[in-house]
Amino acid sequence: MLIKHLNSALQGDADLQGVLPLGDGGALFDAVARSLLLPKFIHLIEPGLLDLRALSPLDAGPLSPAARRRNHALALGASRCLGVTLDGLEPSTLDDAPRHEQAVLRLIWQLTRHALLGRLTPRRTPELLRLLTPDEDARTPPAPERLLLRWINLQLRECALAGTPHADICAREVANLSSDLVDAKVLGVLVYQVARRPDGAPPTIAALGEATTLGRARAVLADAWGAGVQLLELEPADLRKPRMTLAFAAALLNLRPALPPPPSPPPAAPSATELAEEREECAARVWLCSLRRGGGGGGGGGGGGLAPPLRHLLTEGATGLPLLHAMDALRPGHLDWKRVDHTAAAADASADASIGAAARVANCAYALEVAQAAFGLKLGSTSAADLAAGARQPMLSLVWQLQRAWMLQPLPPAMASEEALIAWANRKVAEADPDNPISEVANLRSQVLGGGVFWVRLLAAVAPEAVRAAEARGGAKPAPADAQANALYAASCAHALGVPFFSRWQDLAEARPKVAMALLAAVAAEDIRRTRAAAGSTPSPPPSAGTASETPALGRYPSRVLAGREALRKLAGFYQPKRP
């Protein structure tokens, strides 16, 4: 269970001495409210995503509300970079976690789900190349859930071919990871297929001889444990819950793929350019998700509704709907939702593919029309057909122009340019520490930015209470390892300050111009906010990534949701399985 695992994994952490060991009841939510548990949890499931140096530590005594808010913001910013949909979740929500149990559980589930499914890509688990169709490759694989379904059905077919008992079960075609698994019959076959006892003896298949679902679940767990597939503590009743069946199947695949070795020779490792393109695509998707609650339909009368979660930018963006929801969030009232064809989202399931294709093109054409009329964007040769086909560069270009308009919106016109932002940043860094000058930034491609020292010094100049300039490593010309450490610390500090930053630290280390522009604009907006707050009577809280769409805060949930909490406690133990 989650509490037992956290107590074990994080024991000895000096910052958590007053939190661990967690007890029962509301201990988990009280620990989340103290602001250190979630960042440590994220660091555990995705090492290298955030820099623990950016946390406000406990060495000076209990954390102040402002320090807790920065730690919560760091956790949320890192979660957002993983693709977690926050839906209005704010640092204040986590600070009052016992009164927002549902929101906190939703966040923990998404983090756990990422850890369960994050390895299910051909790049991280090469054996999965065997599950790709001829028109797919390792660079653009199907969703992890789809690969998991293919793996389950492959195991069923191989079990049938081997002449094992219960051919009726092996003849099934599993279509989902919930209702098709909760009777524990398919799970029993999976354990039979993938488990191997240390002495080489085949595992039993006693689970399929049980008459009741609970009996089968009990036997499945016993078979898994007996074969050395240790999935921490699960109760038989847990396998009757859809999220738990997904977790169990994903953990089995992570531990024992039971697939032939990957093809030889293996696919070439992605180039630096390909990795940068993938990060850019991820950042664009994460930004669009941050606007998700803004898709209210405006005044068009058709009603855009709440934008659905966006998991795959190019395929789902090709429907035009994510673009239109984003535009409606940024410029409410400019869309006529009666002109939007929502059948584009069901194009793949349409019996007539031409109907879905026509809907996609029509939506994308309308998105380009709104982009020009409401935002004044320069679209060049971008066409609706390119967007509807999921072309990478046209899609990324359009999303970037929308994001650029969004990020410059809080700035005064005199600062809303690359040149003005660079001049402001150079001046800010120089004024903060005149006795320790560093090289100025000439343009957004400057390697001064790639070294990371400038970013750390700039953030420390804006928020000296939260960023320690002394953490910058390497001096004027940092070695690559120092530059990477500086970039990681700078990105983490940006998250802790609550500024909207959607890219990965690697893009800072590589001095990507768009990423540099985005962070400069975000930090400049934070500096302006602080200056105005200092001049006023009441300081305002830092903005969240969704404030451009005036994202409402989640409501309060005073009731306990014990069943969901207990399920997640057990489930999170799966999140980082180790192969024997």
Side-chain angles (χ1 to χ4, degrees), residues 127-459:
E127 296 95 328
L128 295 180
L129 287 168
R130 295 291 186 181
L131 300 178
L132 301 184
T133 62
D135 59 337
E136 297 169 342
D137 57 44
R139 186 182 178 188
T140 56
E145 297 90 338
R146 184 170 296 183
L147 286 176
L148 182 56
L149 280 173
R150 291 181 186 177
W151 176 76
I152 291 172
N153 286 313
L154 174 64
Q155 298 301 331
L156 291 175
R157 290 193 298 271
E158 293 196 348
C159 184
L161 290 174
T164 50
H166 307 284
D168 56 329
I169 299 173
C170 295
R172 288 185 180 183
E173 182 74 17
V174 175
N176 60 67
L177 297 169
S178 53
S179 60
D180 284 0
L181 302 180
V182 293
D183 65 1
K185 293 181 179 179
V186 170
L187 296 181
V189 174
L190 290 181
V191 173
Y192 178 81
Q193 280 292 104
V194 308
R196 295 293 183 269
R197 293 187 188 279
D199 60 5
T204 65
I205 195 166
L208 301 183
E210 295 288 338
T212 66
T213 299
L214 193 62
R216 285 190 294 273
R218 185 180 295 109
V220 163
L221 293 177
D223 285 351
W225 274 86
V229 182
Q230 298 180 2
L231 302 175
L232 299 184
E233 292 189 9
L234 276 176
E235 299 295 334
D238 294 329
L239 293 185
R240 301 173 65 180
K241 301 169 184 175
R243 285 181 175 176
M244 301 299 251
T245 57
L246 180 152
F248 187 87
L252 281 177
L253 175 50
N254 278 319
L255 284 162
R256 301 280 181 85
L259 291 169
S264 182
S271 66
T273 299
E274 290 174 334
L275 291 174
E277 288 177 350
E278 291 177 9
R279 292 196 303 269
E280 183 181 3
E281 182 181 332
C282 179
R285 178 178 60 82
V286 169
W287 175 70
L288 288 171
C289 286
S290 77
L291 305 175
R292 180 170 174 257
R293 293 187 68 86
L306 178 66
L310 180 63
R311 300 194 185 280
H312 306 282
L313 175 64
L314 300 183
T315 54
E316 296 175 42
T319 68
L321 296 175
L323 299 173
L324 292 167
H325 277 291
M327 293 176 188
D328 191 44
L330 299 173
R331 298 284 192 274
H334 280 76
L335 263 70
D336 179 2
W337 284 98
K338 292 180 180 178
R339 294 184 56 182
V340 178
D341 191 338
H342 292 274
T343 63
D348 291 340
S350 174
D352 185 351
S354 63
I355 297 177
R360 292 197 299 270
V361 172
N363 286 347
C364 291
Y366 184 41
L368 293 177
E369 177 185 329
V370 176
Q372 290 179 309
F375 296 88
L377 302 188
K378 298 179 180 179
L379 302 174
S381 60
T382 301
S383 69
D386 291 335
L387 296 176
R392 181 184 299 269
Q393 289 308 318
M395 183 71 70
L396 291 178
S397 176
L398 177 56
V399 174
W400 164 248
Q401 290 193 68
L402 289 171
Q403 184 179 355
R404 188 179 188 277
W406 170 81
M407 69 190 188
L408 294 178
Q409 183 177 345
L411 302 177
M415 288 189 67
S417 69
E418 173 183 334
E419 295 77 11
L421 285 170
I422 290 175
W424 164 82
N426 284 328
R427 184 174 63 255
K428 191 76 179 178
V429 170
E431 292 175 351
D433 193 357
D435 296 330
N436 187 20
I438 61 173
S439 300
E440 289 193 344
V441 173
N443 55 61
L444 295 179
R445 296 183 182 274
S446 171
Q447 286 307 307
V448 174
L449 294 176
V453 175
F454 188 91
W455 287 118
V456 177
R457 293 275 294 271
L458 176 61
L459 290 162

